[in-house]
Amino acid sequence: MKRFLLMLCPMILTLSVLAQEDTTAKVRVKQGVHFKDGVYANFEEWKNNTPRITEFQIIKTNSFGSFDEVEIRYNCKGDDGSAQNCEIKNCFGYVQNGSFYISQGFYGRFFRVFIVGSLTHFIAYSGYDDPDAYFTTDPNGLIGAANDYREYVLDFSDGSVFEFNFKSFTSFLKEKDPELYAQLQSTKQKRQMIHHFLLDYNERHPIYIPVE
């Protein structure tokens, strides 16, 4: 038994050191702590705080209603090695001056995200995930079903996106946090309280990102 404990102690110390290293290598995302400035090609880059491009320019082009269409450009090299200015046509989003802008699913259109956490909340047109939706040149005119805004949330655990409403959010809570789900169900005017409970969920389930 004594020999077994002697063998076990180094293993426990090793696991403890690894756990400490993992903790110190990450920081909790909260007020004043944000993702690195840069362009994130996909969700995994954003989750790991590793933007593919860190030096870039945001150029506003046409304005459509309440938001601007933008171009993301960066310095690159051509096939002949000459310096060029290239455009990024598709990406997950970008962070500039600490503010996160997520792609709305349409080329050149991004929405600034104000709630970042386990559930990242953003607003987009109802055609957010519809590649066939398109815009007119009329600043107030949209074609087809993409004629209004809807709220969405991005799940930090797996990158899935779902429309944020009472039905979808309560289904999510019932699976992910039954205790908070029960609190919501017992709350008066619960349908009007889902934004408050979204913030509660993020507080109860903090996210951490790697730092250098």
Side-chain angles (χ1 to χ4, degrees), residues 8 18 30 50 54 57 67 77 86 97 112 138 160 171 184-185 197 203 212:
L8 186 61
L18 289 174
K30 56 183 180 179
T50 54
T54 56
Q57 305 87 41
F67 66 93
K77 289 185 178 181
C86 297
N97 298 324
R112 182 176 177 179
D138 179 356
S160 61
S171 296
L184 175 59
Q185 292 301 318
F197 276 83
E203 185 64 27
E212 295 180 353

Side-chain angles (χ1 to χ4, degrees), residues 42-184:
N42 51 53
F43 167 74
E44 290 300 324
E45 286 189 7
W46 181 68
K47 183 176 182 178
N48 294 318
N49 199 24
T50 54
R52 185 164 305 187
I53 296 172
T54 56
E55 295 185 6
F56 63 101
Q57 305 87 41
I58 299 298
I59 302 172
K60 292 185 179 181
T61 55
N62 298 318
S63 293
F64 286 85
S66 60
F67 66 93
D68 293 318
E69 181 180 355
V70 302
E71 291 182 0
I72 305 177
R73 294 192 168 274
Y74 68 103
N75 295 329
C76 61
K77 289 185 178 181
D79 295 336
D80 58 355
S82 62
Q84 296 185 9
N85 190 253
C86 297
E87 181 182 0
I88 299 173
K89 294 186 177 181
N90 294 292
C91 68
F92 171 75
Y94 66 90
V95 175
Q96 187 178 51
N97 298 324
S99 297
F100 176 39
Y101 298 81
I102 192 169
S103 170
Q104 292 189 334
F106 300 101
Y107 169 64
R109 294 162 174 88
F110 295 84
F111 179 78
R112 182 176 177 179
V113 177
F114 290 95
I115 299 176
V116 177
S118 265
L119 291 180
T120 291
H121 176 278
F122 64 99
I123 296 174
Y125 283 111
S126 58
Y128 166 74
D129 52 3
D130 181 5
D132 296 325
Y134 60 95
F135 293 87
T136 71
T137 55
D138 179 356
N140 298 311
L142 297 173
I143 298 298
N147 59 359
D148 60 345
Y149 287 108
R150 290 184 186 175
E151 299 179 65
Y152 295 88
V153 288
L154 168 70
D155 187 347
F156 191 78
S157 66
D158 59 11
S160 61
V161 174
F162 61 89
E163 188 175 340
F164 183 66
N165 53 44
F166 180 78
K167 181 179 179 180
S168 61
F169 183 56
T170 52
S171 296
F172 175 87
L173 281 186
K174 188 174 184 180
E175 177 184 354
K176 301 290 186 177
D177 194 328
E179 182 180 348
L180 197 60
Y181 168 79
Q183 292 179 24
L184 175 59

